[in-house]
Amino acid sequence: MTEFATRILKADRRALARAITLVESTRPDHREQATELLAELAGHGRQALRIGLSGTPGVGKSTFIESFGIMLAEAGLKIAVLAVDPSSARTGGSILGDKTRVERLSRHAGAFIRPSPSQSHLGGVARRTREAVALCEAAGFDVVLIETVGVGQSETVVAELSDVFVLLLAPAGGDELQGVKRGIMEAADLIVVNKADGDLKATATRTCADYAGALRLLRKRPQDAPGFPKAITASALHEQGLSDVWEQIRSLASWRKENGHWDGRREEQARHWFTEEVKQALLAGLETPAARALMARTAEEVASGQVAPGAAARALVAALPGLPESAPESLDVSPKSA
Amino acid sequence: MTEFATRILKADRRALARAITLVESTRPDHREQATELLAELAGHGRQALRIGLSGTPGVGKSTFIESFGIMLAEAGLKIAVLAVDPSSARTGGSILGDKTRVERLSRHAGAFIRPSPSQSHLGGVARRTREAVALCEAAGFDVVLIETVGVGQSETVVAELSDVFVLLLAPAGGDELQGVKRGIMEAADLIVVNKADGDLKATATRTCADYAGALRLLRKRPQDAPGFPKAITASALHEQGLSDVWEQIRSLASWRKENGHWDGRREEQARHWFTEEVKQALLAGLETPAARALMARTAEEVASGQVAPGAAARALVAALPGLPESAPESLDVSPKSA
């Protein structure tokens, strides 16, 4: 066990931050170190409660994370907040792109907040987040909150990373219900209708009933505890209903642990990410300078119409494992004589 | 040159049909034969006008293909019709799943019609269709019409396969305009509002003007001839406006040929499909029985939490090239000593 790994297991925050920077790096030597570090940390047996949190902009997500996080931190729990946001490079849409929006929480001794890296490729973001979650678990956090802004496929990634998936929604008219993508609705364990305060309180209650009705129409999954998935209201601004959110998450997590679905879900997710990793690792073979150069030259032969894409692709892949430092000038893709 | 390839170049319909069956097969030995056949046929220099045709169900696509196809066939052109329909296995949504819906055309000597194979994986359908198009070109067809029902990503595949992309739409109220996905609108060279007859004629004219307005808002692409992309009306049922559709397609194709965009687009597409083929060929390395068995065993180790997905994936990929007939019992993925 290296000293670096030992320091993470001892909950050293600076070592954790450095390790996350390492897993975020795309440099090949960093990637190798990150893989080695994660292999060393595997099997420590610590598990955090991983909460996935998704919600469109304007739903009050930053206020929710701030209030909910502080409530947990003040109860003595160690909470880490991570962001999956493939759009952050473009739009700055993630609340965690800007720590000042969760300022009180970020100053709390029990909290660790990590903004989304400025990287826009979802595949890379997914791996980085998965590895950052593993590091936070090794560092002994009780709760890891994985936040995503509702863009593209990021919710699917977060659902595949979390033990409990929470969808934060705003009070809205019945027509807007359809704005929630079906796949996200199906992944949700708990819908929280936020902003249930002041003028919006009645609307929030109605919206909540609408979502509860929509959830009842979905096919029951084996991992659904009795009464789940469910919809409840809360007001992050007035810090109301947050303890109920926590109770719901905890009771669902307990039920899943007792009924074998906690481990089952984690195993399923590990298989999923392993398959993704294998594909990524295979495709990474195309990223070496020699492979890139050979690929570019072969693509030109294909573009000229003299070589069929399929035959050229097979010849290129066959040449990959033995590819020397400098690639051959071209591939032999002429048809075999019959 | 094998006899099989020679027969295709001589426009032997039975040889062509057999060759398409070969490229549709997923059996490894068939795949190898298909790759070899396509390599032999590469460089014959024949080009068809590839027309991509997309439109949602109910738009009258079967009637359009029937009327448009017969018009071309009677003008002495050889026309092949292929379908890209990843949904056909499920819903039977493609008109070409059922040749009887284009019965007159299918009996015409100048026409060759090939229904969508009963295969639902889009990647496979895309490759099969690309290769079938190449076979039809080798067989000397003047026009290859590539039809898709508007499901999932199939229009994107068709746009990447065609020289001119036509979007067939129905007369509709202004509100329904937004139902057309933006990406498809951006890929369209020509919008044809069908059913411009009888009671719907006035609505079709209005709809056409609406789409023309929407097209003007799009960013101009280098491959857009003056006035393109454009929207016109037609009635496939009454065989009205179809010669205008053909004139528009021909004039756009001529302009592109004269301005270098025809070859440019084909080269770009060849590069795109080559890259896809390389990825598929690499990932096919995971489909051998030995690789599958090793992958399943390693996935269980990962699921148990004792091994990190990244390290396991790297070890598996490293073991792949030398994988013997029967795979090793397990991989050594224990962390290196520091």
Side-chain angles (χ1 to χ4, degrees), chain B residues 269-286:
Chain B
Q269 290 175 345
R271 281 189 205 98
H272 169 79
W273 291 116
F274 169 63
T275 307
E276 289 303 306
E277 285 277 349
V278 169
K279 289 181 185 173
Q280 293 300 321
L282 259 181
L283 295 177
L286 299 175

Side-chain angles (χ1 to χ4, degrees), chain B residues 67-127:
Chain B
S67 301
F68 187 71
I70 285 172
M71 180 186 76
L72 297 185
E74 305 218 314
L77 293 171
K78 293 205 295 170
I79 175 167
V81 185
L82 303 169
V84 176
D85 183 7
S87 70
S88 65
R90 286 198 310 274
T91 64
S94 168
I95 66 113
L96 293 173
D98 183 1
K99 268 197 194 183
T100 58
R101 297 183 70 182
V102 285
E103 204 186 340
R104 281 196 300 144
L105 181 60
S106 67
R107 284 200 310 262
H108 205 290
F112 175 85
I113 293 181
R114 185 74 182 196
S116 199
S118 59
Q119 190 183 353
S120 59
H121 177 248
L122 186 60
V125 171
R127 175 161 70 187

Side-chain angles (χ1 to χ4, degrees), chain A residues 2 43 267 271 277 300 303 305 313 338, chain B residues 2 43 267 271 277 300 303 305 313 338:
Chain A
T2 62
E267 286 167 16
R271 281 188 205 98
E277 285 277 348
E300 290 320 302
Chain B
T2 62
E267 286 167 16
R271 281 189 205 98
E277 285 277 349
E300 290 319 302

Side-chain angles (χ1 to χ4, degrees), chain A residues 1-2 28 31-32 35-36 38-40 42-44 130-131 266-268 270-271 273-275 277-279 281-286 294-296 298-300 302-314 316-317 320-321 333-338, chain B residues 1-2 28 31-32 35-36 38-40 42-44 130-131 266-268 270-271 273-275 277-279 281-286 294-296 298-300 302-314 316-317 320-321 333-338:
Chain A
M1 181 63 68
T2 62
R31 196 93 279 288
E32 201 156 320
T35 304
E36 206 173 314
L38 288 160
E40 286 180 23
H44 55 72
R130 185 177 52 71
E131 293 179 347
R266 288 209 165 199
E267 286 167 16
E268 206 45 66
R271 281 188 205 98
W273 292 116
F274 169 63
T275 307
E277 285 277 348
V278 169
K279 289 181 184 171
L282 260 180
L283 295 177
L286 300 174
L294 181 61
M295 191 138 164
T298 313
E300 290 320 302
V302 172
S304 76
Q306 294 305 303
V307 177
R314 280 182 162 224
L316 188 133
V317 168
L320 276 184
V333 286
S334 55
K336 294 178 205 164
S337 51
Chain B
M1 180 64 68
T2 62
R31 198 91 279 288
E32 202 156 320
T35 304
E36 207 174 313
L38 288 161
E40 286 180 22
H44 55 72
R130 184 176 54 70
E131 292 179 348
R266 288 210 165 198
E267 286 167 16
E268 204 47 63
R271 281 189 205 98
W273 291 116
F274 169 63
T275 307
E277 285 277 349
V278 169
K279 289 181 185 173
L282 259 181
L283 295 177
L286 299 175
L294 182 60
M295 191 137 163
T298 314
E300 290 319 302
V302 172
S304 76
Q306 295 304 303
V307 176
R314 282 184 159 221
L316 188 133
V317 168
L320 277 184
V333 287
S334 56
K336 293 178 206 162
S337 51

Side-chain angles (χ1 to χ4, degrees), chain A residues 81-126:
Chain A
V81 185
L82 304 169
V84 176
D85 183 7
S87 70
S88 66
R90 286 198 311 273
T91 64
S94 168
I95 67 110
L96 294 173
D98 183 0
K99 269 197 194 183
T100 58
R101 297 181 70 182
V102 285
E103 203 187 341
R104 282 194 300 144
L105 181 60
S106 67
R107 284 200 311 262
H108 205 290
F112 175 85
I113 293 181
R114 186 74 182 196
S116 200
S118 59
Q119 189 183 352
S120 58
H121 177 249
L122 187 60
V125 171

Side-chain angles (χ1 to χ4, degrees), chain A residues 218-234:
Chain A
L218 296 178
R219 198 159 48 91
K220 195 87 178 163
R221 304 163 301 177
Q223 71 267 32
D224 288 329
F228 282 89
K230 69 171 69 169
I232 59 175
T233 60

Side-chain angles (χ1 to χ4, degrees), chain B residues 80-215:
Chain B
V81 185
L82 303 169
V84 176
D85 183 7
S87 70
S88 65
R90 286 198 310 274
T91 64
S94 168
I95 66 113
L96 293 173
D98 183 1
K99 268 197 194 183
T100 58
R101 297 183 70 182
V102 285
E103 204 186 340
R104 281 196 300 144
L105 181 60
S106 67
R107 284 200 310 262
H108 205 290
F112 175 85
I113 293 181
R114 185 74 182 196
S116 199
S118 59
Q119 190 183 353
S120 59
H121 177 248
L122 186 60
V125 171
R127 175 161 70 187
R128 165 262 172 197
T129 308
R130 184 176 54 70
E131 292 179 348
V133 169
L135 291 169
C136 290
E137 290 205 315
F141 280 88
D142 302 299
V143 175
V144 179
L145 190 65
I146 312 153
E147 178 249 359
T148 184
V149 65
V151 167
Q153 300 295 306
S154 61
E155 299 104 330
T156 312
V157 168
V158 169
E160 281 286 350
L161 280 170
S162 56
D163 299 312
V164 174
F165 185 58
V166 178
L167 192 54
L168 197 66
L169 297 170
D175 289 353
E176 294 172 53
L177 228 95
Q178 61 185 8
V180 181
K181 283 176 267 172
R182 191 184 165 85
I184 303 311
M185 195 71 137
E186 286 172 347
D189 295 310
L190 184 67
I191 287 180
V192 177
V193 180
N194 192 26
K195 301 189 179 176
D197 49 53
D199 289 351
L200 285 171
K201 188 155 188 174
T203 312
T205 306
R206 257 202 321 277
T207 304
C208 184
D210 287 345
Y211 284 124
L215 288 176

